[in-house]
mmCIF file of all heavy atoms in Angstrom:
data_model
loop_
_atom_site.group_PDB
_atom_site.id
_atom_site.type_symbol
_atom_site.label_atom_id
_atom_site.label_comp_id
_atom_site.label_asym_id
_atom_site.label_seq_id
_atom_site.Cartn_x
_atom_site.Cartn_y
_atom_site.Cartn_z
ATOM 1 N N ARG A 1375 -7.280 15.305 2.019
ATOM 2 C CA ARG A 1375 -7.017 13.938 1.611
ATOM 3 C C ARG A 1375 -5.529 13.642 1.810
ATOM 4 O O ARG A 1375 -4.663 14.385 1.358
ATOM 5 C CB ARG A 1375 -7.425 13.729 0.163
ATOM 6 C CG ARG A 1375 -7.447 12.277 -0.264
ATOM 7 C CD ARG A 1375 -8.264 12.095 -1.540
ATOM 8 N NE ARG A 1375 -9.656 12.448 -1.335
ATOM 9 C CZ ARG A 1375 -10.604 12.330 -2.259
ATOM 10 N NH1 ARG A 1375 -10.293 11.854 -3.464
ATOM 11 N NH2 ARG A 1375 -11.842 12.685 -1.988
ATOM 12 N N GLU A 1376 -5.256 12.535 2.472
ATOM 13 C CA GLU A 1376 -3.912 12.201 2.900
ATOM 14 C C GLU A 1376 -3.373 10.991 2.146
ATOM 15 O O GLU A 1376 -4.047 9.965 2.025
ATOM 16 C CB GLU A 1376 -3.905 11.921 4.408
ATOM 17 C CG GLU A 1376 -2.551 11.512 4.969
ATOM 18 C CD GLU A 1376 -2.631 11.080 6.416
ATOM 19 O OE1 GLU A 1376 -3.764 10.930 6.936
ATOM 20 O OE2 GLU A 1376 -1.569 10.896 7.040
ATOM 21 N N PHE A 1377 -2.164 11.112 1.681
ATOM 22 C CA PHE A 1377 -1.504 10.003 1.005
ATOM 23 C C PHE A 1377 -1.151 8.899 1.986
ATOM 24 O O PHE A 1377 -0.710 9.163 3.104
ATOM 25 C CB PHE A 1377 -0.232 10.509 0.322
ATOM 26 C CG PHE A 1377 0.665 9.419 -0.165
ATOM 27 C CD1 PHE A 1377 0.348 8.682 -1.297
ATOM 28 C CD2 PHE A 1377 1.835 9.121 0.511
ATOM 29 C CE1 PHE A 1377 1.179 7.673 -1.747
ATOM 30 C CE2 PHE A 1377 2.674 8.116 0.067
ATOM 31 C CZ PHE A 1377 2.335 7.396 -1.062
ATOM 32 N N ILE A 1378 -1.329 7.654 1.552
ATOM 33 C CA ILE A 1378 -0.979 6.498 2.373
ATOM 34 C C ILE A 1378 0.140 5.687 1.726
ATOM 35 O O ILE A 1378 1.197 5.492 2.318
ATOM 36 C CB ILE A 1378 -2.195 5.585 2.604
ATOM 37 C CG1 ILE A 1378 -3.297 6.347 3.338
ATOM 38 C CG2 ILE A 1378 -1.775 4.343 3.403
ATOM 39 C CD1 ILE A 1378 -4.584 5.574 3.442
ATOM 40 N N ALA A 1379 -0.106 5.209 0.521
ATOM 41 C CA ALA A 1379 0.857 4.353 -0.156
ATOM 42 C C ALA A 1379 0.551 4.325 -1.642
ATOM 43 O O ALA A 1379 -0.591 4.545 -2.058
ATOM 44 C CB ALA A 1379 0.826 2.930 0.409
ATOM 45 N N ALA A 1380 1.557 4.040 -2.452
ATOM 46 C CA ALA A 1380 1.359 3.954 -3.892
ATOM 47 C C ALA A 1380 2.526 3.225 -4.538
ATOM 48 O O ALA A 1380 3.624 3.163 -3.979
ATOM 49 C CB ALA A 1380 1.208 5.343 -4.511
ATOM 50 N N PHE A 1381 2.269 2.699 -5.717
ATOM 51 C CA PHE A 1381 3.344 2.160 -6.535
ATOM 52 C C PHE A 1381 3.115 2.545 -7.980
ATOM 53 O O PHE A 1381 1.998 2.864 -8.397
ATOM 54 C CB PHE A 1381 3.481 0.637 -6.395
ATOM 55 C CG PHE A 1381 2.377 -0.154 -7.049
ATOM 56 C CD1 PHE A 1381 2.467 -0.521 -8.392
ATOM 57 C CD2 PHE A 1381 1.267 -0.541 -6.333
ATOM 58 C CE1 PHE A 1381 1.456 -1.260 -8.994
ATOM 59 C CE2 PHE A 1381 0.255 -1.282 -6.925
ATOM 60 C CZ PHE A 1381 0.355 -1.635 -8.255
ATOM 61 N N LYS A 1382 4.184 2.524 -8.730
ATOM 62 C CA LYS A 1382 4.162 2.870 -10.144
ATOM 63 C C LYS A 1382 4.707 1.709 -10.954
ATOM 64 O O LYS A 1382 5.668 1.055 -10.537
ATOM 65 C CB LYS A 1382 5.009 4.133 -10.376
ATOM 66 C CG LYS A 1382 5.084 4.622 -11.807
ATOM 67 C CD LYS A 1382 5.882 5.914 -11.870
ATOM 68 C CE LYS A 1382 5.967 6.462 -13.287
ATOM 69 N NZ LYS A 1382 6.795 5.598 -14.157
ATOM 70 N N TRP A 1383 4.074 1.461 -12.097
ATOM 71 C CA TRP A 1383 4.534 0.405 -12.982
ATOM 72 C C TRP A 1383 4.688 0.938 -14.383
ATOM 73 O O TRP A 1383 3.761 1.565 -14.913
ATOM 74 C CB TRP A 1383 3.561 -0.776 -12.974
ATOM 75 C CG TRP A 1383 4.164 -1.973 -13.591
ATOM 76 C CD1 TRP A 1383 4.037 -2.384 -14.885
ATOM 77 C CD2 TRP A 1383 5.020 -2.921 -12.962
ATOM 78 N NE1 TRP A 1383 4.758 -3.529 -15.089
ATOM 79 C CE2 TRP A 1383 5.376 -3.881 -13.917
ATOM 80 C CE3 TRP A 1383 5.520 -3.041 -11.667
ATOM 81 C CZ2 TRP A 1383 6.212 -4.944 -13.622
ATOM 82 C CZ3 TRP A 1383 6.349 -4.100 -11.378
ATOM 83 C CH2 TRP A 1383 6.679 -5.033 -12.351
ATOM 84 N N PRO A 1384 5.824 0.721 -15.035
ATOM 85 C CA PRO A 1384 6.986 -0.017 -14.533
ATOM 86 C C PRO A 1384 7.719 0.722 -13.425
ATOM 87 O O PRO A 1384 7.600 1.930 -13.270
ATOM 88 C CB PRO A 1384 7.854 -0.156 -15.777
ATOM 89 C CG PRO A 1384 7.508 1.045 -16.597
ATOM 90 C CD PRO A 1384 6.033 1.248 -16.391
ATOM 91 N N GLY A 1385 8.429 -0.037 -12.666
ATOM 92 C CA GLY A 1385 9.108 0.432 -11.475
ATOM 93 C C GLY A 1385 8.836 -0.567 -10.377
ATOM 94 O O GLY A 1385 9.610 -1.508 -10.188
ATOM 95 N N GLY A 1386 7.715 -0.387 -9.687
ATOM 96 C CA GLY A 1386 7.230 -1.396 -8.769
ATOM 97 C C GLY A 1386 7.530 -1.193 -7.297
ATOM 98 O O GLY A 1386 6.910 -1.848 -6.464
ATOM 99 N N ASN A 1387 8.455 -0.303 -6.968
ATOM 100 C CA ASN A 1387 8.699 -0.067 -5.552
ATOM 101 C C ASN A 1387 7.539 0.711 -4.954
ATOM 102 O O ASN A 1387 6.920 1.541 -5.616
ATOM 103 C CB ASN A 1387 10.025 0.658 -5.331
ATOM 104 C CG ASN A 1387 10.032 2.035 -5.936
ATOM 105 O OD1 ASN A 1387 9.814 2.205 -7.135
ATOM 106 N ND2 ASN A 1387 10.303 3.041 -5.108
ATOM 107 N N ILE A 1388 7.239 0.439 -3.696
ATOM 108 C CA ILE A 1388 6.091 1.031 -3.026
ATOM 109 C C ILE A 1388 6.535 2.180 -2.144
ATOM 110 O O ILE A 1388 7.467 2.048 -1.347
ATOM 111 C CB ILE A 1388 5.337 -0.011 -2.194
ATOM 112 C CG1 ILE A 1388 4.907 -1.178 -3.087
ATOM 113 C CG2 ILE A 1388 4.122 0.614 -1.526
ATOM 114 C CD1 ILE A 1388 4.308 -2.338 -2.325
ATOM 115 N N LEU A 1389 5.847 3.298 -2.274
ATOM 116 C CA LEU A 1389 6.092 4.469 -1.447
ATOM 117 C C LEU A 1389 5.054 4.517 -0.335
ATOM 118 O O LEU A 1389 3.860 4.393 -0.595
ATOM 119 C CB LEU A 1389 6.017 5.733 -2.304
ATOM 120 C CG LEU A 1389 6.170 7.072 -1.587
ATOM 121 C CD1 LEU A 1389 7.592 7.229 -1.063
ATOM 122 C CD2 LEU A 1389 5.813 8.219 -2.522
ATOM 123 N N TYR A 1390 5.503 4.707 0.900
ATOM 124 C CA TYR A 1390 4.606 4.777 2.050
ATOM 125 C C TYR A 1390 4.737 6.117 2.757
ATOM 126 O O TYR A 1390 5.833 6.673 2.849
ATOM 127 C CB TYR A 1390 4.917 3.682 3.068
ATOM 128 C CG TYR A 1390 4.609 2.282 2.612
ATOM 129 C CD1 TYR A 1390 5.602 1.462 2.088
ATOM 130 C CD2 TYR A 1390 3.322 1.777 2.724
ATOM 131 C CE1 TYR A 1390 5.323 0.175 1.679
ATOM 132 C CE2 TYR A 1390 3.030 0.484 2.316
ATOM 133 C CZ TYR A 1390 4.036 -0.314 1.794
ATOM 134 O OH TYR A 1390 3.752 -1.596 1.388
ATOM 135 N N ALA A 1391 3.617 6.589 3.266
ATOM 136 C CA ALA A 1391 3.658 7.754 4.136
ATOM 137 C C ALA A 1391 4.303 7.377 5.464
ATOM 138 O O ALA A 1391 4.149 6.253 5.948
ATOM 139 C CB ALA A 1391 2.254 8.290 4.373
ATOM 140 N N ASP A 1392 5.017 8.318 6.054
ATOM 141 C CA ASP A 1392 5.684 8.044 7.326
ATOM 142 C C ASP A 1392 4.697 7.628 8.412
ATOM 143 O O ASP A 1392 5.038 6.829 9.290
ATOM 144 C CB ASP A 1392 6.463 9.270 7.788
ATOM 145 C CG ASP A 1392 7.701 9.533 6.951
ATOM 146 O OD1 ASP A 1392 8.163 8.607 6.252
ATOM 147 O OD2 ASP A 1392 8.214 10.664 6.997
ATOM 148 N N SER A 1393 3.482 8.136 8.354
ATOM 149 C CA SER A 1393 2.505 7.856 9.388
ATOM 150 C C SER A 1393 2.046 6.404 9.426
ATOM 151 O O SER A 1393 1.529 5.947 10.445
ATOM 152 C CB SER A 1393 1.283 8.772 9.217
ATOM 153 O OG SER A 1393 0.676 8.569 7.957
ATOM 154 N N VAL A 1394 2.233 5.680 8.326
ATOM 155 C CA VAL A 1394 1.779 4.295 8.262
ATOM 156 C C VAL A 1394 2.910 3.309 8.015
ATOM 157 O O VAL A 1394 2.681 2.093 8.048
ATOM 158 C CB VAL A 1394 0.693 4.102 7.188
ATOM 159 C CG1 VAL A 1394 -0.466 5.056 7.423
ATOM 160 C CG2 VAL A 1394 1.274 4.296 5.788
ATOM 161 N N LYS A 1395 4.093 3.793 7.769
ATOM 162 C CA LYS A 1395 5.221 2.925 7.471
ATOM 163 C C LYS A 1395 5.466 1.956 8.629
ATOM 164 O O LYS A 1395 5.520 2.357 9.787
ATOM 165 C CB LYS A 1395 6.463 3.762 7.195
ATOM 166 C CG LYS A 1395 7.614 3.003 6.568
ATOM 167 C CD LYS A 1395 8.751 3.957 6.198
ATOM 168 C CE LYS A 1395 8.307 4.987 5.175
ATOM 169 N NZ LYS A 1395 9.415 5.905 4.793
ATOM 170 N N GLY A 1396 5.594 0.686 8.287
ATOM 171 C CA GLY A 1396 5.788 -0.338 9.297
ATOM 172 C C GLY A 1396 4.504 -0.938 9.817
ATOM 173 O O GLY A 1396 4.534 -1.989 10.477
ATOM 174 N N ARG A 1397 3.369 -0.298 9.557
ATOM 175 C CA ARG A 1397 2.073 -0.816 9.987
ATOM 176 C C ARG A 1397 1.195 -1.240 8.812
ATOM 177 O O ARG A 1397 0.454 -2.217 8.914
ATOM 178 C CB ARG A 1397 1.313 0.232 10.806
ATOM 179 C CG ARG A 1397 1.998 0.626 12.107
ATOM 180 C CD ARG A 1397 1.063 1.481 12.964
ATOM 181 N NE ARG A 1397 0.702 2.730 12.289
ATOM 182 C CZ ARG A 1397 -0.550 3.115 12.034
ATOM 183 N NH1 ARG A 1397 -1.570 2.348 12.401
ATOM 184 N NH2 ARG A 1397 -0.783 4.277 11.436
ATOM 185 N N PHE A 1398 1.263 -0.494 7.725
ATOM 186 C CA PHE A 1398 0.433 -0.771 6.552
ATOM 187 C C PHE A 1398 1.297 -1.365 5.445
ATOM 188 O O PHE A 1398 2.453 -0.964 5.260
ATOM 189 C CB PHE A 1398 -0.218 0.506 6.022
ATOM 190 C CG PHE A 1398 -1.283 1.098 6.898
ATOM 191 C CD1 PHE A 1398 -1.504 0.655 8.197
ATOM 192 C CD2 PHE A 1398 -2.085 2.127 6.409
ATOM 193 C CE1 PHE A 1398 -2.485 1.212 8.997
ATOM 194 C CE2 PHE A 1398 -3.072 2.697 7.194
ATOM 195 C CZ PHE A 1398 -3.273 2.237 8.489
ATOM 196 N N THR A 1399 0.723 -2.290 4.694
ATOM 197 C CA THR A 1399 1.415 -2.902 3.576
ATOM 198 C C THR A 1399 0.497 -2.936 2.363
ATOM 199 O O THR A 1399 -0.616 -3.467 2.433
ATOM 200 C CB THR A 1399 1.868 -4.332 3.910
ATOM 201 O OG1 THR A 1399 2.712 -4.315 5.063
ATOM 202 C CG2 THR A 1399 2.644 -4.923 2.737
ATOM 203 N N MET A 1400 0.967 -2.383 1.265
ATOM 204 C CA MET A 1400 0.226 -2.406 0.019
ATOM 205 C C MET A 1400 0.718 -3.565 -0.828
ATOM 206 O O MET A 1400 1.919 -3.828 -0.891
ATOM 207 C CB MET A 1400 0.414 -1.085 -0.727
ATOM 208 C CG MET A 1400 -0.395 -0.954 -1.997
ATOM 209 S SD MET A 1400 -0.131 0.673 -2.774
ATOM 210 C CE MET A 1400 -1.295 0.577 -4.140
ATOM 211 N N SER A 1401 -0.194 -4.253 -1.489
ATOM 212 C CA SER A 1401 0.182 -5.370 -2.327
ATOM 213 C C SER A 1401 -0.766 -5.475 -3.512
ATOM 214 O O SER A 1401 -1.860 -4.903 -3.511
ATOM 215 C CB SER A 1401 0.196 -6.679 -1.537
ATOM 216 O OG SER A 1401 -1.088 -6.983 -1.027
ATOM 217 N N ARG A 1402 -0.329 -6.214 -4.502
ATOM 218 C CA ARG A 1402 -1.114 -6.426 -5.708
ATOM 219 C C ARG A 1402 -1.294 -7.914 -5.926
ATOM 220 O O ARG A 1402 -0.336 -8.679 -5.835
ATOM 221 C CB ARG A 1402 -0.410 -5.786 -6.905
ATOM 222 C CG ARG A 1402 -0.934 -6.225 -8.265
ATOM 223 C CD ARG A 1402 -0.033 -5.727 -9.375
ATOM 224 N NE ARG A 1402 -0.225 -6.468 -10.607
ATOM 225 C CZ ARG A 1402 0.501 -6.311 -11.700
ATOM 226 N NH1 ARG A 1402 1.479 -5.420 -11.711
ATOM 227 N NH2 ARG A 1402 0.251 -7.040 -12.782
ATOM 228 N N GLU A 1403 -2.517 -8.320 -6.218
ATOM 229 C CA GLU A 1403 -2.811 -9.701 -6.534
ATOM 230 C C GLU A 1403 -3.282 -9.751 -7.979
ATOM 231 O O GLU A 1403 -4.429 -9.430 -8.281
ATOM 232 C CB GLU A 1403 -3.873 -10.266 -5.601
ATOM 233 C CG GLU A 1403 -4.284 -11.693 -5.929
ATOM 234 C CD GLU A 1403 -3.093 -12.614 -6.000
ATOM 235 O OE1 GLU A 1403 -2.451 -12.845 -4.946
ATOM 236 O OE2 GLU A 1403 -2.788 -13.105 -7.101
ATOM 237 N N SER A 1404 -2.392 -10.143 -8.856
ATOM 238 C CA SER A 1404 -2.719 -10.144 -10.275
ATOM 239 C C SER A 1404 -3.756 -11.199 -10.639
ATOM 240 O O SER A 1404 -4.474 -11.043 -11.622
ATOM 241 C CB SER A 1404 -1.455 -10.345 -11.110
ATOM 242 O OG SER A 1404 -0.818 -11.564 -10.790
ATOM 243 N N ALA A 1405 -3.846 -12.262 -9.848
ATOM 244 C CA ALA A 1405 -4.782 -13.338 -10.155
ATOM 245 C C ALA A 1405 -6.231 -12.869 -10.138
ATOM 246 O O ALA A 1405 -7.056 -13.360 -10.910
ATOM 247 C CB ALA A 1405 -4.588 -14.500 -9.192
ATOM 248 N N ASP A 1406 -6.559 -11.938 -9.254
ATOM 249 C CA ASP A 1406 -7.940 -11.443 -9.181
ATOM 250 C C ASP A 1406 -8.040 -9.947 -9.463
ATOM 251 O O ASP A 1406 -9.060 -9.329 -9.171
ATOM 252 C CB ASP A 1406 -8.573 -11.776 -7.833
ATOM 253 C CG ASP A 1406 -7.826 -11.188 -6.653
ATOM 254 O OD1 ASP A 1406 -6.825 -10.478 -6.866
ATOM 255 O OD2 ASP A 1406 -8.246 -11.444 -5.509
ATOM 256 N N ASN A 1407 -6.981 -9.379 -10.027
ATOM 257 C CA ASN A 1407 -6.976 -7.970 -10.423
ATOM 258 C C ASN A 1407 -7.346 -7.046 -9.271
ATOM 259 O O ASN A 1407 -8.145 -6.111 -9.434
ATOM 260 C CB ASN A 1407 -7.920 -7.746 -11.609
ATOM 261 C CG ASN A 1407 -7.532 -8.552 -12.823
ATOM 262 O OD1 ASN A 1407 -6.353 -8.756 -13.094
ATOM 263 N ND2 ASN A 1407 -8.531 -9.009 -13.576
ATOM 264 N N THR A 1408 -6.745 -7.306 -8.131
ATOM 265 C CA THR A 1408 -7.080 -6.575 -6.926
ATOM 266 C C THR A 1408 -5.824 -6.042 -6.244
ATOM 267 O O THR A 1408 -4.802 -6.722 -6.188
ATOM 268 C CB THR A 1408 -7.855 -7.476 -5.945
ATOM 269 O OG1 THR A 1408 -9.032 -7.974 -6.590
ATOM 270 C CG2 THR A 1408 -8.261 -6.710 -4.707
ATOM 271 N N VAL A 1409 -5.928 -4.834 -5.740
ATOM 272 C CA VAL A 1409 -4.883 -4.224 -4.934
ATOM 273 C C VAL A 1409 -5.361 -4.196 -3.488
ATOM 274 O O VAL A 1409 -6.518 -3.868 -3.217
ATOM 275 C CB VAL A 1409 -4.552 -2.809 -5.429
ATOM 276 C CG1 VAL A 1409 -3.541 -2.138 -4.512
ATOM 277 C CG2 VAL A 1409 -4.020 -2.857 -6.855
ATOM 278 N N TYR A 1410 -4.468 -4.524 -2.554
ATOM 279 C CA TYR A 1410 -4.834 -4.627 -1.150
ATOM 280 C C TYR A 1410 -4.056 -3.639 -0.297
ATOM 281 O O TYR A 1410 -2.956 -3.204 -0.646
ATOM 282 C CB TYR A 1410 -4.562 -6.040 -0.629
ATOM 283 C CG TYR A 1410 -5.375 -7.115 -1.301
ATOM 284 C CD1 TYR A 1410 -4.861 -7.824 -2.373
ATOM 285 C CD2 TYR A 1410 -6.656 -7.414 -0.858
ATOM 286 C CE1 TYR A 1410 -5.605 -8.813 -2.994
ATOM 287 C CE2 TYR A 1410 -7.407 -8.394 -1.470
ATOM 288 C CZ TYR A 1410 -6.877 -9.095 -2.534
ATOM 289 O OH TYR A 1410 -7.625 -10.072 -3.143
ATOM 290 N N LEU A 1411 -4.643 -3.322 0.833
ATOM 291 C CA LEU A 1411 -3.950 -2.574 1.863
ATOM 292 C C LEU A 1411 -4.168 -3.296 3.184
ATOM 293 O O LEU A 1411 -5.281 -3.310 3.711
ATOM 294 C CB LEU A 1411 -4.456 -1.135 1.952
ATOM 295 C CG LEU A 1411 -3.706 -0.240 2.937
ATOM 296 C CD1 LEU A 1411 -2.280 0.026 2.445
ATOM 297 C CD2 LEU A 1411 -4.443 1.085 3.139
ATOM 298 N N GLN A 1412 -3.115 -3.922 3.680
ATOM 299 C CA GLN A 1412 -3.149 -4.579 4.979
ATOM 300 C C GLN A 1412 -2.796 -3.556 6.038
ATOM 301 O O GLN A 1412 -1.724 -2.945 5.980
ATOM 302 C CB GLN A 1412 -2.164 -5.746 5.015
ATOM 303 C CG GLN A 1412 -2.065 -6.443 6.361
ATOM 304 C CD GLN A 1412 -3.317 -7.204 6.715
ATOM 305 O OE1 GLN A 1412 -3.890 -7.877 5.861
ATOM 306 N NE2 GLN A 1412 -3.748 -7.095 7.954
ATOM 307 N N MET A 1413 -3.681 -3.371 7.002
ATOM 308 C CA MET A 1413 -3.506 -2.361 8.033
ATOM 309 C C MET A 1413 -3.414 -3.056 9.383
ATOM 310 O O MET A 1413 -4.379 -3.660 9.842
ATOM 311 C CB MET A 1413 -4.666 -1.363 8.017
ATOM 312 C CG MET A 1413 -4.845 -0.661 6.678
ATOM 313 S SD MET A 1413 -6.207 0.543 6.682
ATOM 314 C CE MET A 1413 -7.603 -0.578 6.742
ATOM 315 N N ASN A 1414 -2.248 -2.974 9.999
ATOM 316 C CA ASN A 1414 -2.010 -3.588 11.295
ATOM 317 C C ASN A 1414 -1.837 -2.529 12.371
ATOM 318 O O ASN A 1414 -1.477 -1.388 12.088
ATOM 319 C CB ASN A 1414 -0.766 -4.470 11.238
ATOM 320 C CG ASN A 1414 -0.902 -5.633 10.295
ATOM 321 O OD1 ASN A 1414 -1.999 -6.163 10.096
ATOM 322 N ND2 ASN A 1414 0.217 -6.050 9.703
ATOM 323 N N ASN A 1415 -2.071 -2.943 13.607
ATOM 324 C CA ASN A 1415 -1.913 -2.049 14.751
ATOM 325 C C ASN A 1415 -2.623 -0.721 14.519
ATOM 326 O O ASN A 1415 -2.042 0.356 14.656
ATOM 327 C CB ASN A 1415 -0.429 -1.830 15.042
ATOM 328 C CG ASN A 1415 -0.184 -1.136 16.361
ATOM 329 O OD1 ASN A 1415 -1.005 -1.210 17.278
ATOM 330 N ND2 ASN A 1415 0.939 -0.448 16.469
ATOM 331 N N LEU A 1416 -3.885 -0.807 14.183
ATOM 332 C CA LEU A 1416 -4.652 0.392 13.877
ATOM 333 C C LEU A 1416 -4.802 1.292 15.094
ATOM 334 O O LEU A 1416 -4.902 0.822 16.227
ATOM 335 C CB LEU A 1416 -6.022 0.012 13.332
ATOM 336 C CG LEU A 1416 -6.001 -0.474 11.878
ATOM 337 C CD1 LEU A 1416 -7.263 -1.250 11.554
ATOM 338 C CD2 LEU A 1416 -5.842 0.715 10.932
ATOM 339 N N LYS A 1417 -4.825 2.586 14.827
ATOM 340 C CA LYS A 1417 -4.938 3.601 15.853
ATOM 341 C C LYS A 1417 -6.172 4.447 15.593
ATOM 342 O O LYS A 1417 -6.632 4.547 14.456
ATOM 343 C CB LYS A 1417 -3.694 4.494 15.854
ATOM 344 C CG LYS A 1417 -2.383 3.745 16.020
ATOM 345 C CD LYS A 1417 -1.193 4.684 15.877
ATOM 346 C CE LYS A 1417 0.112 3.941 16.038
ATOM 347 N NZ LYS A 1417 1.282 4.849 15.889
#
């Protein structure tokens, strides 16, 4: 199992694995209690 991205609260900065940095973006949408992972330029 491979790490991709994570954040900690309190704190809030997002940690990314080097393999996905610049391509994947993690975000949180508090309005619908959902965490997202946007994956661009998939390989």
Side-chain angles (χ1 to χ4, degrees):
R1375 192 162 297 183
E1376 178 187 9
F1377 168 75
I1378 299 173
F1381 72 88
K1382 180 177 181 292
W1383 194 265
N1387 64 303
I1388 303 173
L1389 177 68
Y1390 292 97
D1392 289 341
S1393 60
V1394 305
K1395 193 174 298 181
R1397 297 190 298 123
F1398 291 11
T1399 302
M1400 184 178 184
S1401 62
R1402 165 190 161 185
E1403 177 54 67
S1404 59
D1406 59 2
N1407 300 325
T1408 303
V1409 175
Y1410 297 95
L1411 185 68
Q1412 176 69 43
M1413 302 181 289
N1414 296 329
N1415 191 25
L1416 284 161
K1417 304 175 180 180

